Amino acid sequence: MNLIEYIEARREDHLNELKEFLRIPSVSTKSENKPDIEKAARWVADKLRAAGMEKVEITPTKMHPLVYGESLHAPGKPTVLFYGHYDVQPAEPLELWTSPAFEPTVRGGNLFGRGTADDKGQVHIHLKALEALQKTAGKLPINVKVMVEGEEEVGSESLWDFVVQNRDRLKADALIVSDTSMLARGVPSITYGLRGLNYYEIEITGPVQDLHSGVFGGAVPNPLTILAELIAKLHDKNFRVVIPGFYNDVATVSRAERKALNSLPWKEKDFRKTVGAPALCGEKGFTIIEQLWIRPTFELNGIWGGYMDEGAKTVIPSKAHAKFSTRLVPNQDPAKIAKLVERHIRKLLPKSVKCDFKVLSTGKPWAAPYTHPIFQKAIHALEHGFGKKAVFIREGGSIPFVTQMHDTFKVPCVLLGFGLPDENAHAPDEHIALENYFGGIKSVALFYESLATP
Ligand code: BES
Ligand code: MN
Ligand code: MN
């Protein structure tokens, strides 16, 4: 039986096995899910062994375990390092799911459940592709190292320690990642650029305690009002970020590249539909694709304080809070941007309040040429596996680890994405299109197989 026949014959088995993986609520941010995190790590380790990987290890870290395995029996052939994550985002708000988040369900050609697209479904694609190669050829045609972490959704803190400690062991000719999306349905894609991400939290304090807004209102600072004014001042009417120096290091993208990105088979109509807002808004002078992929942003992610319960309460809160983030593009330096943001915020705030400013995490942007021959092999495998033309795209999301790996190992990073932009990653009703899950297994198997021939 050849490779493709083997994979085709096992569609049901593959799907059932993925459902098993998805039933483990491996939410990395919640301590109550620690046992599930450990269960998911063991599950991945078992499947790595089933795919013929050796020296499979579950390494404990300061936070969540990391799973590693390798198969190095193809002397003279390339070595790839695959990276993915088994942890998922919390499923809340639970009531907005059509079927429960951790009870995977097929509806209308899609598999629904937390982690289907981000990233368990995509990790499973690689596990099954490797297994198919192993079972049909008796051994893997190339050397493979697999590293699956459990902290991606909370910042991958332990991952880098592991990489540094295992630097020689992790050496490879290419890094392979599947944790991104396709441009659109029927358009298999390779991502060559991601935005970076700085995440911040501030606490504004005015009065030492909550005050009666009648007795005190009019003569004292209201931290909530001050915070709202502050946030409102950070954009101008053209949706440019008004933080001095913010755009200074932004790499200019060549005319040719902008033209290529803007000519991709991407439909504004679909994007508008996915967003569902009455109208769109974004930085003037750039197309939507450019706003999403090559321009930095400032986004407010949460703002709270004061009275938020039923009915009215006349109060001037002592404190106001906000969480916000900046998406970064080459060549912005996250540390430098964090300083600019803090300095500007402190400058804008009146003397009547105190501000506690925290940077919760930072991550570098990434964009790299796709001239290495491995990219043509990847395109070819995607086109074969999906029977559709494949394209090179950039994306607005962040995987800071890719930049770290690229900087450190100086190897090509091949990002094969099998999610879709409207599959609700991080949101209720997350799903993956079955055609992309099955097409993914075929493509990845063909890709790995093709690396064995020059
Ligand atoms: N898989 C995503 C990253 C992603 C999504 C890349 C869509 C490209 C397109 C990843 O799991 C994620 O959610 N990353 C976070 C940042 C991370 C440091 C927590 C993000 O992009 O917000
Ligand atoms: Mn992910
Ligand atoms: Mn994610």
Side-chain angles (χ1 to χ4, degrees):
M1 202 187 262
N2 79 18
L3 185 59
I4 297 298
E5 283 163 3
Y6 179 94
I7 293 170
E8 290 287 4
R10 276 162 188 77
R11 284 166 74 108
E12 280 308 304
D13 296 347
H14 289 164
L15 188 58
N16 286 331
E17 194 182 277
L18 171 57
K19 285 184 182 169
E20 206 181 281
F21 193 14
L22 294 166
R23 279 190 202 104
I24 310 170
S26 48
V27 179
S28 47
T29 197
K30 294 193 187 181
S31 41
E32 67 188 74
N33 291 109
K34 186 72 184 167
D36 304 306
I37 279 279
E38 274 157 13
K39 192 172 167 193
R42 287 196 300 272
W43 194 94
V44 172
D46 284 346
K47 299 307 168 226
L48 280 178
R49 286 188 202 97
M53 295 287 127
E54 295 160 359
K55 298 187 187 154
V56 176
E57 281 169 24
I58 300 178
T59 308
T61 70
K62 278 190 214 122
M63 205 191 286
H64 299 323
L66 204 144
V67 189
Y68 178 82
E70 59 188 29
S71 168
L72 308 173
H73 299 292
K77 303 291 182 189
T79 303
V80 298
L81 172 63
F82 169 75
Y83 159 83
H85 62 95
Y86 67 77
D87 65 319
V88 297
Q89 287 274 329
E92 284 80 6
L94 301 180
E95 67 280 9
L96 296 185
W97 286 78
T98 308
S99 50
F102 297 105
E103 290 173 27
T105 309
V106 173
R107 279 195 307 277
N110 295 309
L111 176 63
F112 286 81
R114 174 57 85 232
T116 43
D118 186 11
D119 181 35
K120 285 172 165 174
Q122 302 207 51
V123 166
H124 198 244
I125 284 174
H126 286 260
L127 296 176
K128 292 303 105 181
L130 289 170
E131 190 187 71
L133 282 163
Q134 168 81 28
K135 293 276 154 67
T136 50
K139 76 186 223 1
L140 290 180
I142 55 166
N143 303 297
V144 179
K145 302 176 177 181
V146 177
M147 182 168 71
V148 186
E149 70 151 324
E151 287 177 24
E152 198 278 341
E153 299 293 4
V154 288
S156 303
E157 265 201 48
S158 309
L159 179 63
W160 200 244
D161 291 343
F162 181 86
V163 172
V164 171
Q165 280 158 24
N166 294 277
R167 228 190 130 118
D168 292 329
R169 194 173 184 195
L170 294 174
K171 262 188 73 184
D173 300 303
L175 174 72
I176 315 296
V177 180
S178 285
D179 192 21
T180 50
S181 303
M182 294 170 35
L183 180 69
R185 203 171 270 275
V187 190
S189 313
I190 295 176
T191 297
Y192 70 91
L194 294 162
R195 290 194 287 192
L197 176 71
N198 276 2
Y199 204 101
Y200 317 83
E201 181 167 344
I202 55 170
E203 182 186 84
I204 308 286
T205 311
V208 289
Q209 65 199 10
D210 287 4
L211 300 172
H212 188 293
S213 68
V215 178
F216 291 90
V220 301
N222 182 322
L224 264 179
T225 311
I226 289 167
L227 177 59
E229 278 169 1
L230 168 77
I231 300 292
K233 279 180 196 148
L234 297 174
H235 277 110
D236 68 13
K237 63 178 194 315
N238 292 326
F239 295 97
R240 276 182 68 89
V241 180
V242 195
I243 295 170
F246 187 74
Y247 293 99
N248 279 4
D249 299 328
V250 169
T252 4
V253 176
S254 72
R255 258 167 180 283
E257 184 178 351
R258 281 173 79 170
K259 195 169 164 228
L261 295 177
N262 288 315
S263 336
L264 286 165
W266 179 87
K267 293 201 190 74
E268 186 174 325
K269 205 175 105 247
D270 292 348
F271 180 77
R272 285 179 186 275
K273 196 171 154 228
T274 305
V275 175
L280 297 178
C281 63
E283 191 185 354
K284 205 175 162 184
F286 296 92
T287 64
I288 297 172
I289 283 279
E290 291 169 348
Q291 289 165 354
L292 297 172
W293 295 352
I294 65 169
R295 298 298 294 169
T297 62
F298 177 100
E299 294 290 348
L300 181 62
N301 302 111
I303 184 164
W304 72 101
Y307 186 66
M308 304 199 289
D309 237 317
E310 196 181 339
K313 182 189 184 199
T314 49
V315 66
I316 294 173
S318 162
K319 290 181 189 297
H321 307 258
K323 288 180 190 278
F324 49 87
S325 51
T326 45
R327 290 281 165 180
L328 308 174
V329 298
N331 299 315
Q332 288 178 298
D333 170 26
K336 196 167 155 189
I337 293 293
K339 283 210 189 84
L340 294 179
V341 171
E342 177 170 8
R343 197 205 294 152
H344 190 60
I345 284 180
R346 292 201 183 278
K347 205 180 114 198
L348 287 182
L349 283 171
K351 291 205 169 53
S352 54
V353 291
K354 284 187 294 190
C355 169
D356 179 41
F357 181 98
K358 280 200 196 93
V359 181
L360 300 188
S361 68
T362 69
K364 284 186 182 172
W366 174 73
Y370 42 87
T371 42
H372 190 284
I374 193 169
F375 289 100
Q376 280 317 313
K377 296 211 171 206
I379 286 280
H380 199 79
L382 287 173
E383 293 186 339
H384 189 166
F386 282 89
K388 305 266 188 210
K389 191 176 157 24
V391 296
F392 287 103
I393 64 172
R394 288 173 71 150
E395 282 189 278
S398 307
I399 314 176
F401 172 68
V402 171
T403 322
Q404 285 176 308
M405 288 301 280
H406 200 201
D407 289 353
T408 311
F409 289 89
K410 313 257 184 279
V411 292
C413 302
V414 187
L415 274 59
L416 306 162
F418 300 108
L420 286 172
D422 63 354
E423 285 180 337
N424 294 6
H426 296 201
D429 280 352
E430 177 181 350
H431 57 283
I432 190 166
L434 290 177
E435 64 180 87
N436 294 339
Y437 167 67
F438 293 125
I441 299 176
K442 282 191 270 180
S443 303
V444 169
L446 290 166
F447 174 51
Y448 286 150
E449 183 180 57
S450 75
L451 296 180
T453 47

